[in-house]
Amino acid sequence: MPFRVAVIGAGWYGCHIASSLASLGFAVTVFERHHRPLHEASGNNQFRLHLGFHYARHHGTRQQSRDGFLRFVERYPNLSAEVPENVYAVPRGTSLMDFATYRLVMVSSGIDFVELPGGHPLLRDIEGALLAKERVLRIGQAREFFARRLGAALRLGCAVTQFLPDAAGVTVNGERFDYAVDATWGHHRPLPIAAYYEPTLLLYYEARGPHPAITFVDGPLPSVYPTEDPAIFTLSSVTHTPLGRFARGDAARAALEAVDTALVAERRAAMEGQIAANLPGFRDAFRFVGVQLAIKTKPEGRADDRSCYVFQEGRVFSVMSGKIDTIFFATERILALIEAQHSLAPIAPTPGLREDILTPRP
Ligand SMILES: Cc1cc2nc3c(=O)[nH]c(=O)nc-3n(C[C@H](O)[C@H](O)[C@H](O)COP(=O)(O)OP(=O)(O)OC[C@H]3O[C@@H](n4cnc5c(N)ncnc54)[C@H](O)[C@@H]3O)c2cc1C
């Protein structure tokens, strides 16, 4: 009989893990409290399919990104799109790393790029720039895809209110399962590591014409990146996007609910001012259209680490993500842990000499 697995949360992680386990013959049920998949962080982020260029200070994150990017494009060819011109630039004076070091880190990580020897005509005060082949996630397509793929296994509008793990399985909302995967990014049960919740604010803009994606690295810097609609961009800033740091998810949610027009105006002025320092044409090239609010979950004490971790407590797995490209890592880790648990039956010792060993005649 196949294992019955409850997956809590229909973000990128829950949807992908459930689809993969279902393909392998597991009997999967996904519980999602909202009325559509990818409703929270998975549908409210910067939509970048990372290749590793953001993570000059964390080798493990770069490796996971580079591999996850290739697998994502292979597995979900219609769920991301090319970004025609995607520039990474190191500004003079405000980057934590000089361009030569940044370039060397990417070369040594085996991540391909094209260097822009003369810089970029839209940018000023930069040490160097390169073109990277990252992609943009197509969230609308992904919602449709996973709803179709999971079918009746996806229970929308169904919050998990009862969760009772024991040695042989887990009872979820009165139903019995062999395993459960908590794919709620720490919102259903606390993660088994110290983590905090960061409410965030991104700004949406309409481009007045074709515009490249521009990301300033490395450190507390801004970026402007297209969405699945190539005319609509998000503006994000490592300094001005976070709205606080909370020990509990509900406190972070309350902070998001308190966001008002004065706060948006203050953050907008700060973010536009910051990006205009190196992209002086920003305000002419873009028209502000709105805000996007979401919560990030981050591990304490690992500021540069955006790798994915899977934790096991008996029959329950919890996923701690940092980005979307690591969905494959999470699934494989869960499978490996299930396999390990079921290969632990003790092997009876063979009495006496093994029969297949030949002994010389006396
Ligand atoms: C501002 C911002 C920008 C980002 N930019 C990028 C980027 O450009 N590229 C990138 O790769 N990553 C980015 N990320 C990170 C990325 O969004 C997350 O790593 C990823 O979406 C996490 O997916 P998830 O499935 O683990 O969690 P989520 O998307 O948060 O999904 C969890 C789901 O669990 C459900 N849930 C919670 N509790 C319950 C319950 N009790 N019962 C039922 N359902 C429940 C929620 O409703 C939710 O749908 C960004 C994040 C933020 C906030």
Side-chain angles (χ1 to χ4, degrees):
M1 205 177 79
F3 288 128
R4 298 193 71 218
V5 182
V7 176
I8 325 298
W12 271 105
Y13 280 81
C15 287
H16 170 75
I17 291 166
S19 302
S20 295
L21 295 184
S23 306
L24 293 170
F26 289 73
V28 178
T29 302
V30 184
F31 296 86
E32 169 53 55
R33 62 186 172 187
H34 293 294
H35 288 275
R36 63 177 185 173
L38 315 188
H39 187 76
E40 295 205 356
S42 290
N44 293 288
N45 54 70
Q46 210 177 17
F47 311 118
R48 186 191 301 259
L49 185 58
H50 284 280
L51 243 174
F53 289 97
H54 255 61
Y55 306 104
R57 281 168 286 128
H58 202 272
H59 176 74
T61 307
R62 280 197 306 284
Q63 298 263 296
Q64 279 193 352
S65 262
R66 190 195 61 188
D67 297 346
F69 178 94
L70 297 172
R71 299 186 67 182
F72 190 100
V73 175
E74 182 181 78
R75 173 78 176 272
Y76 297 120
N78 301 320
L79 301 190
S80 70
E82 267 183 40
V83 176
E85 192 183 358
N86 181 37
V87 180
Y88 272 78
V90 173
R92 214 181 298 284
T94 47
S95 172
L96 298 178
M97 197 177 276
D98 60 64
F99 182 69
T101 309
Y102 179 79
R103 187 185 170 286
L104 194 64
V105 167
M106 295 308 151
V107 170
S108 64
S109 306
I111 308 176
D112 289 337
F113 58 83
V114 174
E115 200 169 334
L116 294 169
H120 191 282
L122 294 178
L123 305 181
R124 76 169 182 217
D125 288 339
I126 60 164
E127 280 187 25
L130 50 87
L131 286 176
K133 283 235 168 276
E134 287 175 325
R135 296 170 70 85
V136 59
L137 295 158
R138 299 174 74 191
I139 299 302
Q141 294 271 343
R143 282 196 180 108
E144 272 178 42
F145 173 85
F146 285 120
R148 226 178 320 116
R149 172 79 187 81
L150 294 168
L154 177 59
R155 297 208 198 141
L156 296 171
C158 191
V160 170
T161 51
Q162 186 204 40
F163 192 86
L164 302 171
D166 57 52
V170 187
T171 302
V172 180
N173 288 2
E175 278 178 67
R176 198 67 192 147
F177 294 89
D178 299 300
Y179 288 96
V181 177
D182 182 344
T184 64
W185 215 11
H187 287 278
H188 169 53
R189 310 160 76 232
L191 286 157
I193 50 160
Y196 64 94
Y197 300 85
E198 184 180 90
T200 61
L201 181 149
L202 284 191
L203 301 177
Y204 274 86
Y205 288 83
E206 186 177 17
R208 295 188 211 276
H211 198 282
I214 310 265
T215 303
F216 294 103
V217 283
D218 178 68
L221 295 165
S223 58
V224 61
Y225 202 74
T227 62
E228 60 194 317
D229 175 346
I232 303 293
F233 284 63
T234 53
L235 173 61
S236 173
S237 156
V238 175
T239 323
H240 304 295
T241 286
L243 298 175
R245 186 180 168 132
F246 296 87
R248 293 175 53 98
D250 48 7
R253 197 167 303 282
L256 280 191
E257 278 158 19
V259 170
D260 57 15
T261 48
L263 181 65
V264 173
E266 179 211 302
R267 294 293 166 128
R268 183 181 158 198
M271 282 158 82
E272 289 183 4
Q274 186 187 32
I275 199 160
N278 300 102
L279 179 61
F282 179 83
R283 290 190 184 90
D284 295 331
F286 290 100
R287 185 178 71 83
F288 174 69
V289 289
V291 295
Q292 173 186 278
L293 303 172
I295 299 171
K296 251 184 207 177
T297 311
K298 288 183 167 175
E300 288 277 6
R302 284 187 243 156
D304 302 328
D305 186 358
R306 294 288 173 278
S307 319
C308 178
Y309 295 89
V310 171
F311 304 99
Q312 180 177 16
E313 291 166 283
R315 294 290 180 129
V316 181
F317 303 104
S318 317
V319 181
M320 171 70 196
S321 79
K323 300 175 280 85
I324 289 150
D325 50 83
T326 44
I327 48 179
F328 303 97
F329 172 86
T331 310
E332 275 151 30
R333 203 67 204 109
I334 290 166
L335 281 169
L337 292 168
I338 293 179
E339 214 178 347
Q341 190 151 9
H342 289 275
S343 351
L344 291 180
I347 298 166
T350 317
L353 202 58
R354 276 166 48 196
E355 281 169 16
D356 57 337
I357 294 179
L358 297 177
T359 46
R361 285 165 195 250

